[in-house]
Amino acid sequence: MQQKELIPQLYRNEFRKMAAVLCRLFGIEHITIAEDIVSDTFLLAAETWGLKGIPENPVAWLYTVAKNKAKDFLRRNDIYNEKVTLAIQHAANAKNEFEIDLSNTNIVDSQLQMMFTICNPCIPPESQVGLALRILCGFSIDEIADAFLTKKETINKRLYRAKEKLKQLKVKIEMPHEQEIGSRIDNVLTTLYLLFNEGYFSAGRNSKIRKDLCLEAMRLAYMLVENKTTNKPEVCALLSLMCFHASRFEARIKPDGELVLYNEQDRSLWNKELILNGKYFLNKGATGSTLSKYHLEAAIAFWHTIEIDSIEKWENILSLYNKLLIIEYSPIAALNRTYALARVYGNDTAIVEAKKLSQDHNHLYHSLLGELFALTDNKKAIEHFLLAAKLTRSDADKKVILKKIEKLNQKVS
Amino acid sequence: MKEFALLFRNESNVGSEITPQQMELMSSKWQHWVGGIAAQGKLVSPGSRLGFNGRVVQPGDNVVQRPYAEINQILSGFHVIKTSTLDEATEIANDCPILSIGGSVEVREIIPMNN
Amino acid sequence: MNEFVLIFRNDFLPEAKFSPDEMQAIMQHWQEWIGGIAAKGLLANGGNRLSSNGNTVKPNNIITDGPFVEIKEIISGYIVIKAADIDDAAEIAKGCPILMVGGNVEVRDIIPMNI
């Protein structure tokens, strides 16, 4: 493999491992230093390998350099030396000559601990997602900016503020006690869910980045499932939900970024393996007495993987949306319920219910009404689609809506 | 928005002559009705369904070994919803499936807690 | 531990029957009683106090103004507690200050929702 491809690939796979281990070792006050040391290691790799060629074992090379840099930093830096060494002695119960442990077990442990540290409601959700992308997923600042469709400086500022806040609150990098995991894991799942949705539903144009976000969220959820203490039913349910959604990834976005609606997707493009994985984790999550919103959403997503539209399918989806809304209201779930209602009881019933929703400012609401009127009242359907086109901020959505209007106009003439 | 409690009552012996099919239909109607309230963002808490097991504690250390019977009706559950007015809450209550089996819904404004 | 609802009833009388000082004392009793339940970790849900503002909806679109008053007592509020069984819950209810003003407490078991 060429160095040009090798380094970005190693960066994606190894940055997060080294960063998590060093963060945990240094403590919350020094996570920026940990990040910098890992970044410097990759810079040095790029320089050195360019001159001398790729070493025999590039990963071992990176680990050795990172370890040495970490030790150098600790020895050289008088100001931090005392604090950090203390922290290390505290954390690892180490002797004077400490070893930096980059074993697989320690990497996984460190990553899990960092997950609980970062997914902390004391910092805003978008900062949690940003920090997770940086430290747990090894995204560069450029990639994060790209994912959020914003400027690099904005991301830098956001991450800086988040780290300051964690520092200020002296958040400890450690696993919660076993009894606490049940309540703390909710925050982690919320962040992973946001991370996944950012990739799946965001209006970002770059479909490669979007897919990566989803895969990263799934990888992190899988780490939680793999770990004995964090393998909770709701974690399995969330992973199942992600698998079902991801199974439609190829079918729902055209190569040029255009969205394909569920009804119009080429079902042969649905990923059968991911659907199977989704079922597997849905079953695994069906233990215990907790019925989380992830269970309900996963069950809804499961019914969407059934290709044949039947009354049974839509009755089940409707019932699941009822239950979901009773647990937690969201405008999108309310609209989806109304759509399911239309499939079970017909469009007229659904239109009556839709009008009670007071979502006049939501483009999705008008898209739904456009859809519901399309069979019976062309004029009203077009009116609603036009409102939807006016209200949406996503170009991809707009394209789909304008296509609908075009079709309806053809029907008229 | 104000909060209102919906208190459901029906006859205390209802249930004895209901078939499992009717039961299932009733529970699906019920879920549908509550789902519709939730879809409008007006469900505050789904409250509780009450069993037929009950006691009434009265002054003077007096405990009656059955639920409180108001004429021939007992309380069967409650929900809390939020709407702008009592009338709007009453309108929602008027769609409650319990009315189809002769029950009633009492709509009561909740006194906001200041603690 | 199971959950039980405690339902408070008293005479339907104009609320201004008590002087401000008396009201203050009653509130104090309530707070102490509920605080005691909460301190034991037995308060599952702080429940609600209901104002006398209300409507009652009956089958066939019959809507009457005011709370449900088939009998002279109305529901004035409820809380949800945890207790080993219904008699244990009734024991807790015996401490309720409503008993001091001639009201009563209904204790009811909860049917788990299979949502």
Side-chain angles (χ1 to χ4, degrees):
Chain A
M1 193 185 278
Q2 293 295 304
Q3 187 206 331
K4 232 167 66 190
E5 298 159 29
L6 179 66
I7 289 189
Q9 198 203 10
L10 284 171
Y11 190 93
R12 177 53 53 82
N13 286 327
E14 302 301 331
F15 180 98
R16 57 174 182 242
K17 296 183 187 167
M18 294 189 273
V21 168
L22 294 187
C23 283
R24 178 192 183 188
L25 190 70
F26 293 177
I28 200 72
E29 309 97 285
H30 303 297
I31 55 178
T32 309
I33 293 166
E35 246 180 89
D36 288 347
I37 285 177
V38 184
S39 294
D40 286 350
T41 302
F42 278 96
L43 270 179
L44 188 67
E47 280 170 26
T48 318
W49 301 358
L51 292 169
K52 299 185 186 165
I54 296 167
E56 207 168 292
N57 186 341
V59 175
W61 189 98
L62 289 171
Y63 284 10
T64 310
V65 170
K67 281 183 195 179
N68 288 336
K69 276 182 179 293
K71 287 184 196 173
D72 278 354
F73 161 76
L74 295 173
R75 284 199 203 94
R76 229 184 9 232
N77 197 318
D78 287 339
I79 308 157
Y80 288 122
N81 197 11
E82 208 174 318
K83 281 190 202 165
V84 173
T85 315
L86 258 176
I88 289 165
Q89 279 171 348
H90 183 72
N93 201 11
K95 299 169 209 91
N96 279 345
E97 194 50 42
F98 54 87
E99 204 29 66
I100 296 171
D101 181 3
L102 277 164
S103 69
N104 208 18
T105 327
N106 193 45
I107 287 173
V108 171
D109 286 353
S110 303
Q111 286 182 304
L112 282 170
Q113 295 183 10
M114 283 308 289
M115 230 190 278
F116 278 96
T117 306
I118 290 169
C119 303
N120 190 321
C122 76
I123 51 175
E126 71 270 20
S127 303
Q128 294 179 41
V129 173
L131 268 187
L133 283 173
R134 180 67 184 140
I135 292 168
L136 301 173
C137 310
F139 273 45
S140 69
I141 301 295
D142 280 324
E143 287 173 310
I144 301 173
D146 209 1
F148 280 111
L149 288 178
T150 179
K151 283 183 302 221
K152 208 173 154 178
E153 297 80 61
T154 313
I155 297 297
N156 270 325
K157 255 187 232 159
R158 186 183 294 173
L159 297 192
Y160 173 78
R161 266 190 238 118
K163 284 185 270 189
E164 285 299 303
K165 183 81 190 176
L166 291 173
K167 208 189 278 185
Q168 189 196 328
L169 293 172
K170 297 195 171 69
V171 172
K172 286 211 178 80
I173 303 175
E174 61 186 13
M175 269 323 248
H177 288 293
E178 218 164 324
Q179 302 98 301
E180 262 183 3
I181 283 183
S183 58
R184 293 273 310 271
I185 206 146
D186 276 352
N187 292 323
V188 178
L189 297 186
T190 306
T191 308
L192 299 190
Y193 184 64
L194 277 177
L195 175 57
F196 185 89
N197 286 351
E198 193 62 45
Y200 202 73
F201 296 109
S202 75
R205 285 166 300 258
N206 186 338
S207 64
K208 165 83 176 58
I209 282 266
R210 297 183 56 178
K211 200 169 170 181
D212 278 353
L213 293 184
C214 293
L215 292 177
E216 286 298 326
M218 289 167 81
R219 189 179 60 77
L220 295 174
Y222 188 65
M223 274 182 75
L224 293 173
V225 168
E226 283 279 273
N227 183 279
K228 211 170 67 224
T229 54
T230 52
N231 179 11
K232 304 271 174 201
E234 60 269 37
V235 182
C236 291
L238 176 62
L239 183 55
S240 157
L241 165 66
M242 290 174 174
C243 290
F244 286 137
H245 275 331
S247 74
R248 288 195 294 280
F249 217 102
E250 304 300 328
R252 72 189 281 277
I253 301 179
K254 288 190 189 161
D256 63 359
E258 192 183 325
L259 278 174
V260 186
L261 293 175
Y262 176 74
N263 275 335
E264 289 150 20
Q265 287 168 12
D266 175 355
R267 299 185 177 197
S268 69
L269 289 177
W270 291 358
N271 185 319
K272 302 287 177 301
E273 201 186 323
L274 279 171
I275 293 176
L276 277 178
N277 287 339
K279 284 184 196 164
Y280 173 77
F281 289 113
L282 189 58
N283 278 329
K284 268 193 86 171
T287 54
S289 57
T290 33
L291 185 63
S292 65
K293 65 171 184 171
Y294 303 118
H295 285 93
L296 294 167
E297 287 194 47
I300 291 167
F302 160 74
W303 278 103
H304 278 91
T305 66
I306 308 282
E307 293 185 23
I308 298 158
D309 276 336
S310 62
I311 279 286
E312 187 206 3
K313 167 176 167 177
W314 288 102
E315 273 177 355
N316 273 293
I317 292 174
L318 174 60
S319 160
L320 288 162
Y321 271 120
N322 281 333
K323 292 173 184 175
L324 180 64
L325 282 159
I326 291 170
I327 292 185
E328 188 181 289
Y329 169 81
S330 76
I332 184 77
L335 292 175
N336 287 334
R337 171 190 183 265
T338 313
Y339 181 74
L341 201 70
R343 301 302 297 261
V344 179
Y345 294 105
N347 289 3
D348 293 345
T349 312
I351 289 168
V352 175
E353 285 282 301
K355 298 230 160 130
K356 295 182 190 163
L357 299 182
S358 9
Q359 292 197 37
D360 295 352
H361 301 292
N362 185 347
H363 71 276
L364 296 170
Y365 168 76
H366 291 289
S367 286
L368 173 68
L369 276 176
E371 211 67 58
L372 296 177
F373 276 119
L375 288 177
T376 49
D377 191 335
N378 232 19
K379 210 176 128 228
K380 275 202 177 133
I382 292 174
E383 265 172 40
H384 282 291
F385 279 128
L386 282 172
L387 269 171
K390 210 174 104 187
L391 286 167
T392 182
R393 269 176 282 170
S394 136
D395 289 340
D397 284 348
K398 201 167 195 162
K399 240 182 182 171
V400 175
I401 299 165
L402 291 176
K403 249 189 187 169
K404 295 249 171 204
I405 297 175
E406 203 178 302
K407 255 190 205 158
L408 287 169
N409 276 329
Q410 277 166 5
K411 236 168 75 183
V412 177
S413 53
Chain B
M1 286 290 203
K2 289 177 188 165
E3 295 194 354
F4 294 90
L6 303 188
L7 307 170
F8 311 114
R9 288 183 173 80
N10 50 1
E11 278 177 38
S12 49
N13 61 352
V14 82
S16 49
E17 72 275 28
I18 281 184
T19 65
Q21 285 89 337
Q22 282 172 312
M23 199 72 160
E24 200 178 319
L25 182 69
M26 191 65 194
S27 94
S28 109
K29 268 194 199 164
W30 194 272
Q31 189 200 74
H32 191 75
W33 178 63
V34 183
I37 300 173
Q40 298 172 52
K42 289 178 181 164
L43 187 71
V44 176
S45 93
S48 306
R49 269 177 71 203
L50 305 183
F52 290 102
N53 212 353
R55 301 276 185 278
V56 184
V57 182
Q58 293 172 334
D61 210 7
N62 197 0
V63 181
V64 182
Q65 303 286 315
R66 54 173 165 71
Y68 190 100
E70 291 153 330
I71 312 299
N72 60 349
Q73 299 213 313
I74 63 167
L75 203 66
S76 58
F78 56 88
H79 286 319
V80 181
I81 61 170
K82 56 172 188 238
T83 59
S84 310
T85 61
L86 175 62
D87 286 342
E88 195 187 341
T90 307
E91 204 174 299
I92 287 175
N94 204 13
D95 289 331
C96 178
I98 207 166
L99 300 172
S100 67
I101 55 163
S104 69
V105 185
E106 179 182 351
V107 186
R108 294 279 296 278
E109 186 174 337
I110 284 173
I111 302 175
M113 299 267 189
N114 45 3
N115 54 356
Chain C
M1 281 293 186
N2 298 303
E3 295 195 352
F4 296 90
V5 183
L6 305 190
I7 300 149
F8 312 118
R9 285 186 176 77
N10 50 5
D11 283 353
F12 185 33
L13 289 168
E15 283 167 52
K17 200 175 65 162
F18 299 104
S19 73
D21 279 354
E22 284 170 323
M23 274 306 269
Q24 181 70 34
I26 292 171
M27 290 304 289
Q28 185 83 30
H29 283 306
W30 275 97
Q31 263 172 22
E32 278 164 17
W33 179 62
I34 294 180
I37 298 172
K40 295 184 199 99
L42 298 177
L43 188 68
N45 180 325
N48 285 300
R49 280 175 65 208
L50 306 182
S51 91
S52 57
N53 186 22
N55 285 337
T56 302
V57 183
K58 291 180 184 165
N60 307 317
N61 233 351
I62 299 166
I63 296 169
T64 51
D65 288 348
F68 184 89
V69 272
E70 297 289 317
I71 29 84
K72 64 183 169 89
E73 288 171 322
I74 67 162
I75 294 177
S76 56
Y78 58 86
I79 61 171
V80 184
I81 61 163
K82 290 184 226 170
D85 56 40
I86 196 158
D87 293 313
D88 187 22
E91 258 327 291
I92 294 174
K94 282 182 184 171
C96 180
I98 207 162
L99 300 171
M100 302 189 307
V101 294
N104 57 57
V105 184
E106 180 182 8
V107 184
R108 293 283 293 280
D109 61 342
I110 292 176
I111 302 176
M113 299 262 202
N114 53 349
I115 55 164

